Every structure is written in C-alpha cells, then in structure tokens.
Amino acid sequence: MFDASQELVLTDRDLRKVVRLVYDHSGITLHEGKRSLVMARLQKRLRHHGMSSFSAYLTHVERDASGEELVLLLDAMTTNHTYFFREEQHFAYLTSRVLSEWRARGSGGPLRIWCAACSTGEEPYTIAMSLADTTPAVEFGLLASDLSTKALKAAKAGVYKMAAVQSVPLEVLRRHFEKGMGEQAGFARVSANLRRRIAFRNMNLLEIGDAGERFDVIFCRNVMIYFDTLVQQRVVGMLERHLKPNGYLFISHSENLNGVTHDLRWMAPAVYQRGAA
Ligand SMILES: C[S@@+](CC[C@H](N)C(=O)[O-])C[C@H]1O[C@@H](n2cnc3c(N)ncnc32)[C@H](O)[C@@H]1O
C-alpha cells in the first residue's frame, strides 16, 4: 500500500535523467536548485501513480508508449508565470510604431500575429485587447501556442481569478471581461468576442519546421531565458524564418540575442525587425 508520508527518493542518476528528458523535449535547461524543483514539481505525478521512487516513475515515463506521461511531466516542469500587460511598453510599441508602418505598407489582409509560448493566455489576450481598443478598424488574427497542454487549456478557457486581472486597467476590464456570478464569483472571463479572435495551438518551439504561414509580428517572451545558446539559436532561426519581410520579433527585456546569429535589426529594447525582402 502507498504511504503518503513516505519520503520520495530522487537519486543523482534519476535527477540527471529528468534534466536530460526536459532538455531533449523542451529545450529547458534546469539550473541550480534543480533537485528541489524536480522534487516539488513531480511529486504530484508520483503520488498520482502511488509511487515513492523517481526511478519507478521514470521507468513508467519511458515505457508509456502513448507519450501521455511525458506530456504531463513537461507540463509539471514548465514555468508558466505570466500576467496581463507584462512589459507593457511592447503593446504601446505594437499599436503605434508597428501598426503605422504596417498600414503605410498597405500590405492588405489581416495583421497576422503569433504569440509563441503564450502560457495561460494573459499575453495573447493583452495583445488582442490592445489592438481592439487602439486600432478597432484593423483586422487581426492571432495564433497563440505553448508546449504545456495544461497552460493552453487555461488559456482557451480565458477564466481568471479577480486577483489575476488586477493589472488590467479598469476600463479595459469592463470592456473585455465578464464578471462571474454565483459559482463563478471571484472570477472574470475574457469576452467571447475576444476569445474567438485567437487560435490556441499546442506547439513545441523545438519541433516546428514550418508552421504553415508567415507573420507580421511574433511575440516570444520569457521562454528563451530557460534555453542555452544552442537552443536559442535554433529557436531564433526558426522564428526568423516565420517572419514576413519587415516583420517584428518581440522578446523579453530580461532576454537578449547576444551569442545568437541572426539577420534581425535591433529597433528598441527587446524589439527586432526583419529586413525588407
Ligand atoms: C514564463 S512563461 C512566459 C509566458 C509569456 N510569454 C510571458 O512572457 O508572460 C514560459 C512559457 O514557455 C513555455 N515553453 C517552454 N518551453 C517551450 C517549448 N519548447 N515550446 C513551446 N513553449 C515552451 C512554457 O510552457 C511556459 O508557458
């Protein structure tokens, strides 16, 4: 019988195995504090299976031909921290500079944006709200993707605790959210109007060869910080290929492209542009 008070055992060998699995399948490098991180994040999975050793759990992951347990392992190991209007200068830059250039080029068709690593949805919804409020006449389409199926599920639902929408300006909140009543009290839901403008898709930045289209703007923020230079190079190369000529790439202010080879032009802090065709 499984005893919940039993201490979980994580050997150095098993820790190395987890680190390798996470790196190979997500590109994420686990740094210092990885032992306690792995213990904390994976113990729910072990408990779920009634296991008290990581060796048994890892054998289960390896033998699971469906690949489902690996997905759950990666879900548990990704850091999904995000919030509405994070690094808000970027949204102002998007709705002013990027939009005016895009209009001046008269490209036609909707503005295509990809939010790669969208986590629980706060970032793509912020993009959609910013565009809808400042340039309502501009037609746009948003693809939002992430590796974590759990984060994506939350993103699609678009339901947030009231505490999570505190960074949303009050008038924006009133315009784009519905306040939950009864059982939903204490939660706010993004309006259906906004939700239907975003296509959410499970995509692994490491595995994308060709996403099937080119974008005017790509947001890929606060994920490359978990990657080493090798993985960053691979991901930046892939993102660059997915930009239209003159397209923009937004990364995070806590990231940089030092050590990565690319043909993008630095435009503003954490903002890069592809050259004209
Ligand atoms: C810290 S969140 C950043 C969310 C948002 N972009 C922001 O800036 O607030 C990092 C996200 O990257 C995702 N991620 C990590 N590795 C990934 C990969 N290889 N492919 C796609 N998404 C990945 C995680 O699941 C997580 O949701």
Side-chain angles (χ1 to χ4, degrees), residues 75-95:
D75 270 358
M77 291 309 302
T78 53
T79 300
N80 306 121
H81 176 67
T82 182
Y83 50 93
F84 289 101
F85 289 92
R86 183 178 198 175
E87 303 181 45
E88 62 186 330
Q89 311 86 303
H90 278 165
F91 307 106
Y93 194 93
L94 170 69
T95 54

Side-chain angles (χ1 to χ4, degrees), residues 167-268:
S167 54
V168 180
L170 204 55
E171 70 281 11
V172 179
L173 193 63
R174 287 206 184 105
R175 230 182 342 262
H176 296 293
F177 286 81
E178 290 145 14
K179 209 169 161 189
M181 312 284 258
E183 278 186 4
Q184 292 300 312
F187 292 89
R189 184 169 204 189
V190 178
S191 71
N193 204 10
L194 212 64
R195 276 187 281 125
R196 77 169 71 97
R197 299 182 84 161
I198 306 178
F200 290 98
R201 220 190 288 165
N202 184 215
M203 288 163 82
N204 184 342
L205 292 170
L206 293 193
E207 290 172 1
I208 302 166
D210 187 343
E213 63 171 317
R214 300 293 173 263
F215 297 88
D216 298 292
V217 180
I218 298 178
F219 277 75
C220 187
R221 307 188 308 165
N222 298 295
V223 58
M224 281 194 277
I225 202 159
Y226 301 104
F227 297 160
D228 62 14
T229 314
L230 204 74
V231 178
Q232 283 175 359
Q233 180 67 68
R234 191 162 146 192
V235 171
V236 170
M238 181 277 292
L239 294 174
E240 204 176 347
R241 286 200 310 278
H242 283 82
L243 279 175
K244 289 183 190 172
N246 301 300
Y248 277 88
L249 171 67
F250 289 82
I251 62 169
S252 160
H253 289 84
S254 43
E255 295 163 330
N256 62 64
L257 299 185
N258 297 345
V260 174
T261 308
H262 60 83
D263 288 320
L264 302 167
R265 200 151 52 103
W266 184 93
M267 299 300 288

Side-chain angles (χ1 to χ4, degrees), residues 3-252:
D3 174 3
S5 66
Q6 218 173 340
E7 225 174 275
L8 301 178
V9 182
L10 175 62
T11 63
D12 287 349
R13 187 164 171 270
D14 291 337
L15 179 59
R16 281 197 299 275
K17 255 193 189 176
V18 176
V19 169
R20 173 51 60 187
L21 263 180
V22 171
Y23 182 78
D24 286 349
H25 293 277
S26 72
I28 296 170
T29 298
L30 298 174
H31 288 294
E32 75 276 8
K34 60 188 169 210
R35 174 173 288 277
S36 43
L37 188 85
V38 168
M39 298 276 284
R41 298 248 178 117
L42 290 185
Q43 62 169 302
K44 220 170 150 190
R45 296 309 310 150
L46 269 74
R47 305 247 188 252
H48 174 84
H49 292 292
M51 295 169 176
S52 59
S53 94
F54 280 83
S55 307
Y57 176 66
L58 290 169
T59 303
H60 172 67
V61 174
E62 282 161 0
R63 288 194 183 152
D64 174 21
S66 73
E68 274 170 31
E69 193 58 49
L70 177 63
V71 168
L72 294 170
L73 181 151
L74 294 174
D75 270 358
M77 291 309 302
T78 53
T79 300
N80 306 121
H81 176 67
T82 182
Y83 50 93
F84 289 101
F85 289 92
R86 183 178 198 175
E87 303 181 45
E88 62 186 330
Q89 311 86 303
H90 278 165
F91 307 106
Y93 194 93
L94 170 69
T95 54
S96 54
R97 171 84 187 241
V98 176
L99 249 291
S100 62
E101 273 182 24
W102 180 80
R103 277 187 170 131
R105 281 198 302 278
S107 322
L111 178 78
R112 289 296 299 156
I113 304 176
W114 179 18
C115 184
C118 68
S119 189
T120 41
E122 287 85 337
E123 187 177 45
Y125 287 129
T126 302
I127 296 170
M129 291 188 284
S130 304
L131 288 169
D133 288 347
T134 55
T135 54
V138 169
E139 239 194 279
F140 66 89
L142 237 167
L143 168 67
S145 65
D146 201 279
L147 169 72
S148 164
T149 55
K150 196 172 155 205
L152 266 185
K153 197 170 166 215
K156 263 186 218 168
V159 177
Y160 300 93
K161 286 191 182 140
M162 287 311 285
V165 296
Q166 263 174 3
S167 54
V168 180
L170 204 55
E171 70 281 11
V172 179
L173 193 63
R174 287 206 184 105
R175 230 182 342 262
H176 296 293
F177 286 81
E178 290 145 14
K179 209 169 161 189
M181 312 284 258
E183 278 186 4
Q184 292 300 312
F187 292 89
R189 184 169 204 189
V190 178
S191 71
N193 204 10
L194 212 64
R195 276 187 281 125
R196 77 169 71 97
R197 299 182 84 161
I198 306 178
F200 290 98
R201 220 190 288 165
N202 184 215
M203 288 163 82
N204 184 342
L205 292 170
L206 293 193
E207 290 172 1
I208 302 166
D210 187 343
E213 63 171 317
R214 300 293 173 263
F215 297 88
D216 298 292
V217 180
I218 298 178
F219 277 75
C220 187
R221 307 188 308 165
N222 298 295
V223 58
M224 281 194 277
I225 202 159
Y226 301 104
F227 297 160
D228 62 14
T229 314
L230 204 74
V231 178
Q232 283 175 359
Q233 180 67 68
R234 191 162 146 192
V235 171
V236 170
M238 181 277 292
L239 294 174
E240 204 176 347
R241 286 200 310 278
H242 283 82
L243 279 175
K244 289 183 190 172
N246 301 300
Y248 277 88
L249 171 67
F250 289 82
I251 62 169
S252 160

